Amino acid sequence: MQIIISTFFVLALMQAPELTSGDQDFGYDGVSGPLHWGERYRECAGKHQSPININVLRVKQVSLPDIQFVGFDDSIDGVHVTNNGHTVLIEVENEPHPRVRGGPLEGDYVFSQMHFHWGDNDTLGSEDKINHRSFPMELHMVFFKEEYKSPQEAVKHPDGLTVLAFFYELDRHYHPAYDDITAALGNVTELHASVTMDHPFSFLNILPYDLRRYFTYRGSLTTPPCSEVVIWLDFEQPVRLAHDQIEAFRELRSAHGKIKHNFRPIQPIGDRVVFYNIDNSYFNYNEVDDPDDDVTTQRPSRRKHGRHNGAIKNKSSVAIISVVFLAVCYLLK
Ligand SMILES: *[C@@H]1O[C@H](CO)[C@@H](O)[C@H](O)[C@H]1NC(C)=O
Ligand SMILES: *[C@@H]1O[C@H](CO)[C@@H](O)[C@H](O)[C@H]1NC(C)=O
Ligand SMILES: *[C@@H]1O[C@H](CO)[C@@H](O)[C@H](O)[C@H]1NC(C)=O
Ligand SMILES: [Zn+2]
């Protein structure tokens, strides 16, 4: 009986998502590295895994409804920064949590946690790539579908999570909104260390300016158990940070020394389509200009359109003239 219970317990632990526990037995090198995750966590060998390379020539352009970022410009108190041995987690204590809706999402998604992925040096570190380009760091803001009540329940559903992903790019200047994060990092270099931020924290301050252009696709958690439950939104415009601000993340330590890198290599895209959302007010603007124009195509089709109308008009004039001609013939008979 005890064996059954402990087996059940171990199985339950293995199901725990990255959001709840930082103690899974996985790493980024050697026998515990990404190439071996699939041996213990079946889903890591799945067909719809993340991260992926996004080939900009293969994306499908779409114009989705606006995303609503609720509570992103609030000043939030009681924000915790924690080293879980794989990354640094930023969590919000007090309700209500920020949330997102709109875009490709059905329903509301509530903030769960955010964390970062980085590399040994500034030439690599992001998880998703764009045209095989790596960025030095990537931010993941994880949200769970409100309908499922908790992140633990949400990971059992294919639309359970959405992750807003932001890339970083090097800049000569410091990004002042990141000072509080880098200050906190200095206090959580040891495994399981946690601090509460000194100042209120605003989501919007750490994000890029353009939140309208993004790629979206269906994928997975990028850490074991690699559950295929994530609607990914990868924002195109990177956040610009100074080298020293990125370097501060590389000081964090796991049980095995400094966390020098914590990104998973790209996975096969398989049969998936990546959608590229273009600001739809751009199209609305053009539509006002010429309401007849086809939104998805450019001038050549407009000309085709015109010729098509011309042909119809000529056919109907031919028809009217024929009817009048026949009527006159009939009357004259
Ligand atoms: C950056 O790190 C990678 C992985 O360790 C290494 O292959 C590459 O040579 C490094 N690049 C530079 C410029 O140091
Ligand atoms: C972290 O440590 C520094 C001193 O090195 C201190 O100024 C700061 O207030 C500490 N706490 C946080 C949350 O940053
Ligand atoms: C339609 O008829 C006009 C004359 O009424 C002519 O100039 C024009 O070329 C015609 N268009 C087509 C598509 O046949
Ligand atoms: Zn992540």
Side-chain angles (χ1 to χ4, degrees):
M1 187 58 187
Q2 207 155 19
I3 290 172
I4 293 173
I5 289 172
S6 47
T7 308
F8 183 79
F9 188 59
V10 167
L11 283 175
L13 271 183
M14 282 171 61
Q15 295 299 318
E18 72 173 334
L19 341 162
T20 51
S21 158
D23 276 328
Q24 293 93 342
D25 183 16
F26 75 88
Y28 288 91
D29 296 291
V31 289
S32 64
L35 291 175
H36 297 277
W37 291 354
E39 295 159 14
R40 184 180 294 205
Y41 304 96
R42 209 170 11 91
E43 270 201 274
C44 296
K47 294 219 182 322
H48 293 151
Q49 289 288 293
S50 295
I52 59 166
N53 174 56
I54 294 171
N55 179 341
V56 172
L57 294 177
R58 299 245 178 89
V59 298
K60 186 165 166 39
Q61 288 194 4
V62 287
S63 192
L64 295 165
D66 283 349
I67 300 176
Q68 291 173 44
F69 300 91
V70 182
F72 274 55
D73 50 0
D74 290 355
S75 278
I76 307 171
D77 284 313
V79 173
H80 302 291
V81 179
T82 306
N83 174 350
N84 73 357
H86 302 297
T87 184
V88 57
L89 284 181
I90 299 182
E91 292 162 301
V92 172
E93 189 179 307
N94 303 322
E95 307 279 346
H97 288 182
R99 59 176 61 218
V100 284
R101 65 173 82 100
L105 307 173
E106 279 181 28
D108 278 35
Y109 285 73
V110 179
F111 179 73
S112 170
Q113 48 95 338
M114 64 177 106
H115 62 266
F116 301 82
H117 298 270
W118 60 87
D120 301 76
N121 57 55
D122 294 340
T123 66
L124 74 190
S126 67
E127 297 213 296
D128 281 329
K129 296 181 182 185
I130 296 184
N131 291 344
H132 287 290
R133 176 185 175 192
S134 281
F135 299 82
M137 194 161 74
E138 186 173 333
L139 164 64
H140 288 164
M141 286 185 165
V142 183
F143 296 74
F144 69 93
K145 194 169 188 176
E146 186 172 42
E147 184 184 326
Y148 303 132
K149 304 282 199 294
S150 72
Q152 292 75 6
E153 178 61 27
V155 293
K156 298 172 188 162
H157 303 267
D159 62 347
L161 301 179
T162 185
V163 179
L164 312 190
F166 299 92
F167 299 110
Y168 291 88
E169 206 168 52
L170 282 186
D171 198 284
R172 280 182 299 134
H173 303 286
Y174 276 84
H175 191 317
Y178 279 79
D179 284 348
D180 285 339
I181 295 177
T182 33
L185 289 179
N187 297 326
V188 299
T189 51
E190 296 309 314
L191 174 61
H192 299 315
S194 187
V195 288
T196 304
M197 274 192 182
D198 287 336
H199 304 110
F201 181 81
S202 153
F203 281 25
L204 205 56
N205 283 347
I206 64 162
L207 300 186
Y209 173 75
D210 181 0
L211 297 174
R212 287 176 176 272
R213 285 185 175 244
Y214 58 85
F215 303 96
T216 179
Y217 75 97
R218 294 293 191 120
S220 71
L221 298 176
T222 64
T223 54
C226 308
S227 318
E228 295 183 340
V229 297
V230 182
I231 300 168
W232 283 93
L233 276 74
D234 289 18
F235 291 83
E236 187 178 32
Q237 189 180 51
V239 182
R240 303 181 68 91
L241 285 190
H243 166 79
D244 287 352
Q245 293 182 300
I246 296 175
E247 193 72 14
F249 287 84
R250 302 187 183 114
E251 293 299 317
L252 294 179
R253 303 174 67 84
S254 72
H256 314 289
K258 284 188 181 175
I259 307 172
K260 294 213 182 104
H261 53 244
N262 60 0
F263 63 94
R264 186 188 194 191
I266 55 165
Q267 306 294 309
I269 193 164
D271 58 5
R272 288 174 288 177
V273 176
V274 176
F275 298 93
Y276 179 34
N277 186 65
I278 304 285
D279 179 356
N280 60 50
S281 64
Y282 170 83
F283 288 110
N284 292 339
Y285 178 80
N286 278 355
E287 269 182 286
V288 173
D289 207 42
D290 181 358
D292 280 345
D293 204 6
D294 184 351
V295 176
T296 56
T297 49
Q298 295 294 319
R299 288 182 181 280
S301 89
R302 196 188 295 181
R303 257 188 263 122
K304 222 192 294 167
H305 209 105
R307 228 182 293 139
H308 186 60
N309 281 344
I312 288 174
K313 271 188 210 132
N314 281 10
K315 261 188 211 155
S316 26
S317 17
V318 168
I320 291 167
I321 290 167
S322 315
V323 168
V324 171
F325 180 75
L326 287 175
V328 170
C329 291
Y330 179 79
L331 286 176
L332 289 178
K333 207 163 80 178

